[in-house]
PDB file of all heavy atoms in Angstrom:
ATOM      1  N   TYR A  36     -30.927 -43.078   6.623  1.00 96.00           N
ATOM      2  CA  TYR A  36     -30.621 -41.670   6.828  1.00 96.00           C
ATOM      3  C   TYR A  36     -31.916 -40.935   7.184  1.00 96.00           C
ATOM      4  O   TYR A  36     -32.995 -41.297   6.699  1.00 96.00           O
ATOM      5  CB  TYR A  36     -30.027 -41.043   5.561  1.00 96.00           C
ATOM      6  CG  TYR A  36     -28.546 -41.273   5.365  1.00 96.00           C
ATOM      7  CD1 TYR A  36     -28.077 -42.463   4.793  1.00 96.00           C
ATOM      8  CD2 TYR A  36     -27.616 -40.314   5.747  1.00 96.00           C
ATOM      9  CE1 TYR A  36     -26.715 -42.666   4.614  1.00 96.00           C
ATOM     10  CE2 TYR A  36     -26.254 -40.505   5.562  1.00 96.00           C
ATOM     11  CZ  TYR A  36     -25.811 -41.680   4.998  1.00 96.00           C
ATOM     12  OH  TYR A  36     -24.462 -41.882   4.820  1.00 96.00           O
ATOM     13  N   GLN A  38     -33.757 -37.003   7.372  1.00 93.00           N
ATOM     14  CA  GLN A  38     -33.670 -35.625   6.881  1.00 93.00           C
ATOM     15  C   GLN A  38     -34.736 -34.786   7.578  1.00 93.00           C
ATOM     16  O   GLN A  38     -35.919 -34.922   7.290  1.00 93.00           O
ATOM     17  CB  GLN A  38     -33.863 -35.571   5.371  1.00 93.00           C
ATOM     18  CG  GLN A  38     -33.703 -34.191   4.780  1.00 93.00           C
ATOM     19  CD  GLN A  38     -33.962 -34.174   3.282  1.00 93.00           C
ATOM     20  OE1 GLN A  38     -34.672 -35.005   2.735  1.00 93.00           O
ATOM     21  NE2 GLN A  38     -33.367 -33.208   2.598  1.00 93.00           N
ATOM     22  N   GLY A  43     -29.688 -31.160   5.809  1.00 88.00           N
ATOM     23  CA  GLY A  43     -29.123 -32.249   5.032  1.00 88.00           C
ATOM     24  C   GLY A  43     -29.402 -33.589   5.690  1.00 88.00           C
ATOM     25  O   GLY A  43     -29.860 -33.662   6.822  1.00 88.00           O
ATOM     26  N   LYS A  49     -26.232 -48.138  10.248  1.00 93.00           N
ATOM     27  CA  LYS A  49     -25.779 -48.859   9.065  1.00 93.00           C
ATOM     28  C   LYS A  49     -25.557 -50.331   9.391  1.00 93.00           C
ATOM     29  O   LYS A  49     -25.215 -50.690  10.516  1.00 93.00           O
ATOM     30  CB  LYS A  49     -24.500 -48.250   8.519  1.00 93.00           C
ATOM     31  CG  LYS A  49     -23.291 -48.357   9.444  1.00 93.00           C
ATOM     32  CD  LYS A  49     -22.062 -47.721   8.799  1.00 93.00           C
ATOM     33  CE  LYS A  49     -20.844 -47.818   9.727  1.00 93.00           C
ATOM     34  NZ  LYS A  49     -19.640 -47.171   9.142  1.00 93.00           N
ATOM     35  N   PHE A  90     -34.791 -42.131   4.785  1.00 96.00           N
ATOM     36  CA  PHE A  90     -34.368 -42.769   3.538  1.00 96.00           C
ATOM     37  C   PHE A  90     -33.617 -44.064   3.828  1.00 96.00           C
ATOM     38  O   PHE A  90     -32.668 -44.070   4.617  1.00 96.00           O
ATOM     39  CB  PHE A  90     -33.461 -41.837   2.737  1.00 96.00           C
ATOM     40  CG  PHE A  90     -34.163 -40.627   2.201  1.00 96.00           C
ATOM     41  CD1 PHE A  90     -34.180 -39.443   2.912  1.00 96.00           C
ATOM     42  CD2 PHE A  90     -34.818 -40.668   0.977  1.00 96.00           C
ATOM     43  CE1 PHE A  90     -34.833 -38.320   2.431  1.00 96.00           C
ATOM     44  CE2 PHE A  90     -35.482 -39.556   0.487  1.00 96.00           C
ATOM     45  CZ  PHE A  90     -35.485 -38.386   1.213  1.00 96.00           C
ATOM     46  N   LYS A  94     -26.054 -50.384  -0.850  1.00 92.00           N
ATOM     47  CA  LYS A  94     -24.810 -50.330  -1.617  1.00 92.00           C
ATOM     48  C   LYS A  94     -24.156 -51.696  -1.575  1.00 92.00           C
ATOM     49  O   LYS A  94     -24.192 -52.366  -0.542  1.00 92.00           O
ATOM     50  CB  LYS A  94     -23.862 -49.298  -1.013  1.00 92.00           C
ATOM     51  CG  LYS A  94     -22.527 -49.170  -1.708  1.00 92.00           C
ATOM     52  CD  LYS A  94     -21.672 -48.057  -1.103  1.00 92.00           C
ATOM     53  CE  LYS A  94     -21.022 -48.461   0.206  1.00 92.00           C
ATOM     54  NZ  LYS A  94     -20.013 -49.514   0.048  1.00 92.00           N
ATOM     55  N   ASN A 100     -18.923 -45.315  -2.631  1.00 89.00           N
ATOM     56  CA  ASN A 100     -20.180 -44.638  -2.336  1.00 89.00           C
ATOM     57  C   ASN A 100     -20.909 -44.157  -3.590  1.00 89.00           C
ATOM     58  O   ASN A 100     -22.092 -43.810  -3.515  1.00 89.00           O
ATOM     59  CB  ASN A 100     -19.933 -43.451  -1.403  1.00 89.00           C
ATOM     60  CG  ASN A 100     -19.622 -43.890   0.004  1.00 89.00           C
ATOM     61  OD1 ASN A 100     -20.227 -44.804   0.542  1.00 89.00           O
ATOM     62  ND2 ASN A 100     -18.654 -43.226   0.620  1.00 89.00           N
ATOM     63  N   GLY A 106     -33.653 -44.924  -1.465  1.00 95.00           N
ATOM     64  CA  GLY A 106     -35.087 -45.093  -1.603  1.00 95.00           C
ATOM     65  C   GLY A 106     -35.780 -43.754  -1.788  1.00 95.00           C
ATOM     66  O   GLY A 106     -35.157 -42.689  -1.695  1.00 95.00           O
TER      67      GLY A 106
ATOM     68  N   TYR B  33     -19.430 -35.393  -3.189  1.00 97.00           N
ATOM     69  CA  TYR B  33     -20.516 -35.837  -4.058  1.00 97.00           C
ATOM     70  C   TYR B  33     -21.524 -34.710  -4.247  1.00 97.00           C
ATOM     71  O   TYR B  33     -21.771 -33.936  -3.331  1.00 97.00           O
ATOM     72  CB  TYR B  33     -21.246 -37.044  -3.439  1.00 97.00           C
ATOM     73  CG  TYR B  33     -20.330 -38.169  -3.022  1.00 97.00           C
ATOM     74  CD1 TYR B  33     -19.688 -38.139  -1.780  1.00 97.00           C
ATOM     75  CD2 TYR B  33     -20.093 -39.249  -3.863  1.00 97.00           C
ATOM     76  CE1 TYR B  33     -18.836 -39.152  -1.398  1.00 97.00           C
ATOM     77  CE2 TYR B  33     -19.237 -40.272  -3.482  1.00 97.00           C
ATOM     78  CZ  TYR B  33     -18.612 -40.223  -2.253  1.00 97.00           C
ATOM     79  OH  TYR B  33     -17.768 -41.229  -1.877  1.00 97.00           O
ATOM     80  N   GLN B  37     -32.294 -33.955  -5.538  1.00 93.00           N
ATOM     81  CA  GLN B  37     -33.444 -34.606  -4.933  1.00 93.00           C
ATOM     82  C   GLN B  37     -34.710 -34.011  -5.510  1.00 93.00           C
ATOM     83  O   GLN B  37     -35.032 -32.849  -5.272  1.00 93.00           O
ATOM     84  CB  GLN B  37     -33.425 -34.417  -3.409  1.00 93.00           C
ATOM     85  CG  GLN B  37     -34.566 -35.113  -2.686  1.00 93.00           C
ATOM     86  CD  GLN B  37     -34.558 -34.852  -1.194  1.00 93.00           C
ATOM     87  OE1 GLN B  37     -34.107 -33.801  -0.729  1.00 93.00           O
ATOM     88  NE2 GLN B  37     -35.044 -35.809  -0.415  1.00 93.00           N
ATOM     89  N   GLY B  42     -35.802 -40.607  -4.657  1.00 88.00           N
ATOM     90  CA  GLY B  42     -34.572 -40.679  -3.888  1.00 88.00           C
ATOM     91  C   GLY B  42     -33.508 -39.768  -4.466  1.00 88.00           C
ATOM     92  O   GLY B  42     -33.665 -39.224  -5.555  1.00 88.00           O
ATOM     93  N   PHE B  90     -27.890 -31.350  -3.097  1.00 96.00           N
ATOM     94  CA  PHE B  90     -27.137 -31.616  -1.882  1.00 96.00           C
ATOM     95  C   PHE B  90     -25.699 -31.977  -2.229  1.00 96.00           C
ATOM     96  O   PHE B  90     -25.441 -32.773  -3.129  1.00 96.00           O
ATOM     97  CB  PHE B  90     -27.751 -32.773  -1.092  1.00 96.00           C
ATOM     98  CG  PHE B  90     -29.032 -32.419  -0.409  1.00 96.00           C
ATOM     99  CD1 PHE B  90     -30.242 -32.779  -0.964  1.00 96.00           C
ATOM    100  CD2 PHE B  90     -29.020 -31.719   0.784  1.00 96.00           C
ATOM    101  CE1 PHE B  90     -31.433 -32.453  -0.341  1.00 96.00           C
ATOM    102  CE2 PHE B  90     -30.210 -31.389   1.420  1.00 96.00           C
ATOM    103  CZ  PHE B  90     -31.415 -31.758   0.846  1.00 96.00           C
ATOM    104  N   ASP B  97     -13.999 -44.285   1.150  1.00 70.00           N
ATOM    105  CA  ASP B  97     -14.914 -44.602   0.058  1.00 70.00           C
ATOM    106  C   ASP B  97     -15.931 -45.672   0.416  1.00 70.00           C
ATOM    107  O   ASP B  97     -16.903 -45.871  -0.297  1.00 70.00           O
ATOM    108  CB  ASP B  97     -14.084 -45.069  -1.149  1.00 70.00           C
ATOM    109  CG  ASP B  97     -14.893 -45.095  -2.409  1.00 70.00           C
ATOM    110  OD1 ASP B  97     -15.839 -44.295  -2.543  1.00 70.00           O
ATOM    111  OD2 ASP B  97     -14.600 -45.935  -3.279  1.00 70.00           O
ATOM    112  N   ASN B  99     -18.493 -47.442   3.187  1.00 61.00           N
ATOM    113  CA  ASN B  99     -19.275 -47.728   4.385  1.00 61.00           C
ATOM    114  C   ASN B  99     -19.147 -46.732   5.517  1.00 61.00           C
ATOM    115  O   ASN B  99     -19.664 -46.965   6.598  1.00 61.00           O
ATOM    116  CB  ASN B  99     -18.959 -49.125   4.935  1.00 61.00           C
ATOM    117  CG  ASN B  99     -19.235 -50.188   3.903  1.00 61.00           C
ATOM    118  OD1 ASN B  99     -20.091 -50.009   3.044  1.00 61.00           O
ATOM    119  ND2 ASN B  99     -18.512 -51.275   3.976  1.00 61.00           N
ATOM    120  N   LYS B 101     -20.119 -42.940   6.976  1.00 87.00           N
ATOM    121  CA  LYS B 101     -21.265 -42.087   6.725  1.00 87.00           C
ATOM    122  C   LYS B 101     -20.880 -40.883   5.891  1.00 87.00           C
ATOM    123  O   LYS B 101     -19.776 -40.371   5.967  1.00 87.00           O
ATOM    124  CB  LYS B 101     -21.879 -41.622   8.046  1.00 87.00           C
ATOM    125  CG  LYS B 101     -21.018 -40.683   8.866  1.00 87.00           C
ATOM    126  CD  LYS B 101     -21.771 -40.257  10.109  1.00 87.00           C
ATOM    127  CE  LYS B 101     -20.940 -39.325  10.972  1.00 87.00           C
ATOM    128  NZ  LYS B 101     -21.701 -38.912  12.187  1.00 87.00           N
ATOM    129  N   LEU B 102     -21.861 -40.459   5.088  1.00 92.00           N
ATOM    130  CA  LEU B 102     -21.708 -39.224   4.339  1.00 92.00           C
ATOM    131  C   LEU B 102     -22.151 -38.061   5.218  1.00 92.00           C
ATOM    132  O   LEU B 102     -23.142 -38.146   5.941  1.00 92.00           O
ATOM    133  CB  LEU B 102     -22.560 -39.253   3.079  1.00 92.00           C
ATOM    134  CG  LEU B 102     -21.927 -39.835   1.820  1.00 92.00           C
ATOM    135  CD1 LEU B 102     -21.703 -41.322   1.980  1.00 92.00           C
ATOM    136  CD2 LEU B 102     -22.784 -39.535   0.600  1.00 92.00           C
ATOM    137  N   GLY B 105     -24.462 -31.300   3.291  1.00 95.00           N
ATOM    138  CA  GLY B 105     -24.823 -29.912   3.471  1.00 95.00           C
ATOM    139  C   GLY B 105     -26.333 -29.777   3.600  1.00 95.00           C
ATOM    140  O   GLY B 105     -27.079 -30.746   3.429  1.00 95.00           O
TER     141      GLY B 105
END
Side-chain angles (χ1 to χ4, degrees):
Chain A
Y36 278 83
Q38 184 182 25
K49 65 180 180 182
F90 292 93
K94 179 176 77 67
N100 287 319
Chain B
Y33 309 84
Q37 182 183 30
F90 287 100
D97 194 30
N99 302 332
K101 67 177 179 180
L102 271 68

